Amino acid sequence: MDSFHTHSRRAVLGAGIAVAGSGLLATSAGAAPGPHDRRHDDHTERGRYVDPHGPEVVDVEDRRYSSGRVRRMHLEAQEARVDIGGRTVHTWVYDNRLPADVLRLTSGDTLSMTFTNRLPQSTTLHWHGLDLRNDMDGVPDVTQRPIRPGESFHYHFRLPRPGTYWMHPHVGVQQDRGLYAPLIVDDPREPMAYDHEWVVILDDWLDGVDGSTPDAVLKELNHGRGSMHGNDGADHGGHDSDHGRGTDEGHGHDAHGHDAPAHPNDHGKGREGQGPGHDGHGAGHSKTNGNTKSTSHASSHSSSHTSSHAGSHDNGRTEHHVHNGDVGTAERVPRTPPIIKDLGLDGILPKVDSSGLGNLGLNLADKNLHDFGLGGLPLHGMTATAAAGAAARASRGARRDDGPGRGHNGPSRLLPTSAHSNVLDGMPGNVDYPYHLINGRTKDDPDTFRCRPGDRIRIRFINAGGDTAYRVALGGHRMVVTHTDGNPVRHTRAEQLLIGMAERYDVLVTARSGVFPLVAVADGKGRNKTALALLRTASGRAPEASVHPKELEGPLTTADRLRAHESVRARDRRPDRVLTMKLTGTMDRFDWAINGRQYTPSQRYPIREGERVRLVFQNDTTMWHPMHLHGHSFTLPDGGPRKDTTVLRPGKRVAVDFDADNPGLWMLHCHNVYHSESGMMTILGYRRD
């Protein structure tokens, strides 16, 4: 299958390639707790934390760099049947595609997206890695209400920093379905030179295979407790009223008493300024998933690229819901985003009996919102048409699983406890996935990227998996690592990369002549548990699906071996506050937590704007955890790279520093979706005083 994401560009070559020196492992480096160490969350004082919709958040947004351009887009989450390469599955996706098309903008742009939920469950959008305004972060019961079936929500924020990012839901284990998409923010002064771009999304897959669902796997793992967000596979909207309730119910919630200012509703403008994304540069697609044929976003490519993708362009973009368009600089950007008005439909839609889906989740009372610190959130309800559609879908039932387990939970997907990864110092994860994908394709029908020998390619790797770390190599080539988690690093040569869940790496390669395998090994989950894509620059026979390039036996590059580029290196400063985050829990109980406390939306670890904050992660478990901080990026020790996600091996300790420059309530959690939804999440809250 031809490649799904391509991008061409020539730019002025910036910093030269250099091999960075080795250093201490990020997972073993650390710092002793200082005098400011706060080991316990502060959740007893109401109203002492910055409201996600408060003036502090608005002021920071107004100070962010803006190009004056507004990019209007539409996106829908929906059920679909998709072909993953020799197997058709029923799953949930964005815009009827797996993965969804690249969202491409330029730093300084304002994203204005109307997102519509056509799923049978509530959902949100989280913009992974972006230091965006807090009320757009997509965390249910903290920064926004869950978006109920049939509803729309308007996400509106500036993107000041270039890099490789992605988006996914933040409700339950929905991310382990097909709900993910790359988000690329281009640098208008790009310092690197390359001919093409290849976006490579890694994913572990079980949804819709022989009746399996992520919700069933979660329940099997955590002994039937289900998701911390209350969204399990049998709950289709009626969960909202008791989202996230935990042992701290009624304590420490923010007293959000703010009324949202009225703003004009500018939904329905998503098709304004239709045309090629990113000023003529686009993301090429030519494979077919499900019943949708995706076409190129580009109106032009470089001549070398056009020859290999002739006839694939559709400048009218009539087949897609995502539309990029510029709006003139005269348009005023609202200080806070307009929200689709609630139409007062509570009680109007019919109830469904116990054999169906339960109620549609339209009875979420304001008093319950206030209990979770969301009393000031404006309602964002359905239109009458959308409500009727949601009711009709509910009456038909939510999903039909494919295969022998149709309508049931399918076979056990638990990884044997004997599974071991030398790289990760223990069990490699918890889930034995039947498939591993690159750009939505199995190794039996791989995605193929085409260019000419000698072309320079920027590959952007994104691990969208739920439970799998991948070792990645391109046969016959050495990669040069240029970025991690969207931030530049000193250029470092690599034969293979370790990419944990939610991590991103950008690399440069110069293409040789032939057909070459890009292989991602699900580390520790079995030699045959691999994903495959192809780089083709000449005619010739493709390698077998079981190919294992020699580069996978070479030195392994991990984040701790990289050094931050001078442009993003943090200035030396003693931390003003040290927070110790002990990762706790056991495999037997699956009671993952931070500092022994499982997540509730009321938790707060206090920080203040302007502080240098040190997070000391101590992994007291026998499992590795990729820890992710929302709304900020931190630096690894000893001049290490700037990142938002870092891998913590069992028994290891690492201290990372970040500057508290983005007020609000920000989640910190493990990005193994089964660990986070079993309790390994908490919240850092900016204090007002």
Side-chain angles (χ1 to χ4, degrees):
M1 309 298 291
D2 283 338
S3 174
F4 113 92
H5 293 311
T6 62
H7 181 62
S8 296
R9 154 175 355 176
R10 280 289 188 184
V12 178
L13 180 63
I17 297 172
V19 179
S22 60
L24 294 175
L25 286 175
T27 49
S28 61
H36 303 283
D37 190 26
R38 309 290 180 90
R39 285 183 167 80
H40 304 288
D41 55 359
D42 180 358
H43 68 288
T44 58
E45 298 179 77
R46 294 178 180 268
R48 308 302 290 180
Y49 290 92
V50 170
D51 187 329
H53 304 267
E56 302 93 337
V57 173
V58 175
D59 288 344
V60 169
E61 177 76 351
D62 286 345
R63 293 197 301 268
R64 288 191 172 103
Y65 166 67
S66 174
S67 65
R69 292 189 302 184
V70 178
R71 295 296 185 89
R72 299 193 176 279
M73 301 180 181
H74 282 173
L75 187 72
E76 287 191 359
Q78 60 213 157
E79 296 179 276
R81 291 175 62 85
V82 296
D83 175 13
I84 60 174
R87 180 88 186 231
T88 299
V89 295
H90 189 109
T91 187
W92 300 355
V93 296
Y94 295 134
D95 279 353
N96 208 34
R97 292 199 53 80
L98 178 70
D101 290 340
V102 169
L103 274 68
R104 186 162 221 116
L105 302 98
T106 301
S107 60
D109 288 353
T110 294
L111 175 65
S112 180
M113 174 179 282
T114 301
F115 173 68
T116 301
N117 179 15
R118 305 293 184 195
L119 302 173
Q121 288 183 358
S122 296
T123 192
T124 64
L125 273 182
H126 170 58
W127 312 86
H128 187 107
L130 294 180
D131 50 351
L132 77 172
R133 55 183 299 157
N134 188 220
D135 55 351
M136 297 288 102
D137 193 43
V139 177
D141 306 325
V142 177
T143 67
Q144 71 170 90
R145 291 186 179 190
I147 307 167
R148 294 172 287 186
E151 288 185 357
S152 292
F153 188 89
H154 186 195
Y155 290 97
H156 192 105
F157 53 87
R158 294 178 183 175
L159 299 104
R161 200 159 50 88
T164 301
Y165 309 102
W166 62 301
M167 61 185 193
H168 59 80
H170 221 290
V171 174
V173 288
Q174 292 177 359
Q175 181 218 315
D176 211 21
R177 296 180 188 263
L179 296 169
Y180 53 85
L183 172 62
I184 307 302
V185 183
D186 286 306
D187 187 345
R189 297 176 296 276
E190 176 60 61
M192 298 193 307
Y194 49 93
D195 302 292
H196 306 290
E197 183 172 296
W198 188 9
V199 179
V200 173
I201 305 182
L202 313 172
D203 189 23
D204 39 22
W205 192 270
L206 58 81
D207 192 35
V209 179
D210 298 335
S212 296
T213 68
D215 300 288
V217 171
L218 177 64
K219 284 187 174 183
E220 187 177 6
L221 283 166
N222 67 18
H223 312 293
R225 296 194 307 274
S227 168
M228 299 301 294
H229 287 117
N231 228 353
D232 59 39
D235 187 351
H236 300 275
H239 66 284
D240 293 87
S241 62
D242 61 356
H243 239 240
R245 288 193 184 276
T247 56
D248 294 331
E249 179 179 344
H251 299 285
H253 304 290
D254 284 355
H256 295 320
H258 305 287
D259 293 327
H263 293 290
N265 188 334
D266 63 354
H267 293 288
K269 299 180 182 179
R271 295 183 181 271
E272 180 178 338
Q274 287 186 46
H278 187 60
D279 304 321
H281 300 290
H285 244 214
S286 56
K287 74 173 182 286
T288 302
N289 280 347
N291 55 9
T292 300
K293 178 75 171 180
S294 179
T295 55
S296 174
H297 284 193
S299 61
S300 63
H301 289 297
S302 68
S303 59
S304 63
H305 190 62
T306 303
S307 62
S308 63
H309 289 272
S312 66
H313 301 283
D314 177 10
N315 294 333
R317 298 173 48 76
T318 58
E319 295 186 38
H320 303 289
H321 293 278
V322 177
H323 301 282
N324 293 347
D326 293 338
V327 176
T329 57
E331 174 171 327
R332 175 176 173 80
V333 178
R335 287 173 61 85
T336 56
I339 306 297
I340 291 180
K341 182 180 179 182
D342 183 270
L343 300 179
L345 294 172
D346 290 2
I348 295 176
L349 295 181
K351 301 291 183 179
V352 180
D353 64 28
S354 59
S355 64
L357 304 176
N359 68 65
L360 289 172
L362 298 178
N363 56 355
L364 186 59
D366 274 348
K367 72 179 185 65
N368 287 331
L369 288 175
H370 187 79
D371 286 344
F372 291 116
L374 293 170
L377 263 69
L379 295 171
H380 45 281
M382 297 182 181
T383 64
T385 301
R393 287 192 300 275
S395 66
R396 292 194 301 266
R399 61 178 286 123
R400 300 181 305 277
D401 290 319
D402 298 307
R406 181 181 177 125
H408 304 285
N409 291 333
S412 173
R413 297 296 184 189
L414 302 194
L415 198 67
T417 56
S418 59
H420 183 83
S421 165
N422 292 329
V423 171
L424 298 168
D425 293 342
M427 277 195 72
N430 305 111
V431 184
D432 186 10
Y433 290 88
Y435 297 109
H436 295 271
L437 312 180
I438 290 180
N439 292 345
R441 312 299 297 177
T442 69
K443 60 186 177 182
D444 294 322
D445 189 9
D447 185 42
T448 300
F449 184 85
R450 301 175 185 273
C451 65
R452 299 184 304 183
D455 282 347
R456 203 174 196 203
I457 309 166
R458 180 178 189 167
I459 306 177
R460 298 182 187 255
F461 291 107
I462 302 171
N463 185 348
D467 180 76
T468 305
Y470 290 99
R471 289 187 295 112
V472 180
L474 177 60
H477 294 75
R478 296 186 78 184
M479 302 176 286
V480 176
V481 182
T482 64
H483 297 73
T484 181
D485 291 359
N487 295 288
V489 298
R490 293 181 186 173
H491 290 194
T492 305
R493 297 187 186 276
E495 293 191 38
Q496 60 166 330
L497 286 170
L498 178 69
I499 309 180
M501 291 86 78
E503 287 190 299
R504 291 93 64 211
Y505 284 87
D506 293 15
V507 304
L508 291 175
V509 297
T510 300
R512 298 174 56 193
S513 180
V515 187
F516 304 95
L518 176 66
V519 178
V521 174
D523 194 78
K525 294 190 173 185
R527 185 177 177 89
N528 294 324
K529 297 290 187 176
T530 61
L532 173 68
L534 300 177
L535 170 62
R536 179 178 287 275
T537 64
S539 61
R541 183 176 179 179
E544 298 294 330
S546 59
V547 63
H548 190 83
K550 63 180 180 62
E551 286 78 7
L552 286 169
E553 306 305 324
L556 180 65
T557 298
T558 51
D560 54 280
R561 298 183 180 275
L562 303 175
R563 293 295 172 265
H565 189 271
E566 288 75 9
S567 63
V568 296
R569 186 171 298 163
R571 64 183 179 88
D572 291 337
R573 176 181 170 184
R574 291 180 58 86
D576 302 294
R577 186 181 300 264
V578 179
L579 298 174
T580 297
M581 298 291 170
K582 291 185 178 180
L583 311 183
T584 59
T586 65
M587 285 292 298
D588 290 340
R589 294 186 178 182
F590 222 74
D591 53 348
W592 307 114
I594 294 177
N595 289 330
R597 302 194 63 182
Q598 292 185 297
Y599 172 72
T600 68
S602 64
Q603 291 173 347
R604 304 286 185 269
Y605 283 83
I607 60 177
R608 286 182 171 84
E609 188 172 3
E611 290 182 333
R612 170 68 59 84
V613 180
R614 175 164 294 172
L615 297 176
V616 180
F617 293 112
Q618 174 67 48
N619 187 355
D620 288 346
T621 78
T622 59
M623 176 66 72
W624 72 283
H625 304 282
M627 298 303 297
H628 170 54
L629 174 63
H630 287 207
H632 305 75
S633 55
F634 47 72
T635 56
L636 296 187
D638 303 319
R642 185 184 291 268
K643 291 176 62 64
D644 55 67
T645 307
T646 187
V647 170
L648 268 294
R649 294 171 175 83
K652 301 300 182 182
R653 177 188 181 97
V654 63
V656 302
D657 290 355
F658 72 93
D659 291 323
D661 56 5
N662 197 9
L665 303 176
W666 297 104
M667 184 163 277
L668 174 70
H669 65 96
C670 175
H671 222 282
N672 181 315
V673 69
Y674 297 98
H675 295 179
S676 62
E677 288 304 320
S678 295
M680 193 173 279
M681 303 187 286
T682 194
I683 295 171
L684 306 186
Y686 279 68
R687 296 275 297 204
R688 280 200 178 105
D689 56 345

